[in-house]
């Protein structure tokens, strides 16, 4: 069972920025690729970005030029810096491994609206 704590969501205007954080156990952090996923209302959950244990990163095309994923090895934390947010980024954001574990955290809500 994955154990994560997601934080950092909120309400922001279009063009604004947020920083999401995902803190997990040392075992998960040191052994797995970790990803941010999101689920918008009425849509399937999708993988947005991931980072490997070696620090290699991947983002989906729609966020590639706007967001950055990183690891803080001192805190067992994966951060997602989200810039130039758009209304279509509105979703609940979740952290999990790749491939994902069966259980999910509570997620953090990101709402982009004027």
């Amino acid at each position: 069972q994955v154990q994560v704590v997601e934080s950092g969501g909120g309400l922001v205007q279009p063009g604004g920025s947020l920083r999401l954080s995902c803190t997990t156990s040392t075992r998960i952090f040191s052994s797995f690729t970790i990803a941010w996923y999101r689920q918008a209302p009425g849509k399937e959950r999708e993988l947005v970005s991931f980072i490997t244990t070696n620090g290699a990163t991947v983002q989906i095309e729609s966020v590639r030029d706007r967001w950055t994923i990183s690891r803080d090895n001192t805190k067992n934390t994966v951060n997602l810096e989200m810039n130039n947010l758009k209304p279509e980024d509105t979703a609940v954001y979740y952290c999990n491994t790749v491939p994902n574990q069966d259980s999910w955290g509570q997620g953090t809500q990101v709402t982009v609206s004027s």
Side-chain angles (χ1 to χ4, degrees):
Q1 180 178 4
V2 67
Q3 296 177 329
V4 298
V5 176
E6 301 116 333
S7 63
L11 172 63
V12 64
Q13 294 185 342
S17 299
L18 285 173
R19 184 190 196 204
L20 305 185
S21 294
C22 167
T23 301
T24 186
S25 67
T26 299
R27 182 184 72 84
I28 294 292
F29 187 82
S30 62
S31 303
F32 291 90
T33 291
I34 296 175
W36 282 97
Y37 300 77
R38 68 184 177 186
Q39 187 166 21
K43 295 188 177 181
E44 296 289 321
R45 186 176 289 155
E46 66 172 344
L47 187 150
V48 175
S49 180
F50 68 77
I51 185 166
T52 70
T53 54
N54 292 329
T57 64
V58 170
Q59 292 84 28
I60 59 173
E61 184 175 358
S62 63
V63 307
R64 189 167 299 149
D65 295 331
R66 301 185 291 128
W67 299 2
T68 303
I69 190 170
S70 63
R71 299 170 66 100
D72 185 338
N73 294 329
T74 66
K75 299 180 180 179
N76 291 349
T77 297
V78 172
N79 297 311
L80 186 66
E81 300 280 351
M82 306 188 296
N83 298 312
N84 191 19
L85 282 158
K86 303 178 179 181
E88 52 264 41
D89 296 320
T90 294
V92 179
Y93 285 73
Y94 301 89
C95 176
N96 207 319
T97 57
V98 179
N100 63 270
Q101 307 284 325
D102 290 337
S103 64
W104 294 82
Q106 292 188 336
T108 185
Q109 175 72 48
V110 171
T111 303
V112 185
S113 175
S114 55

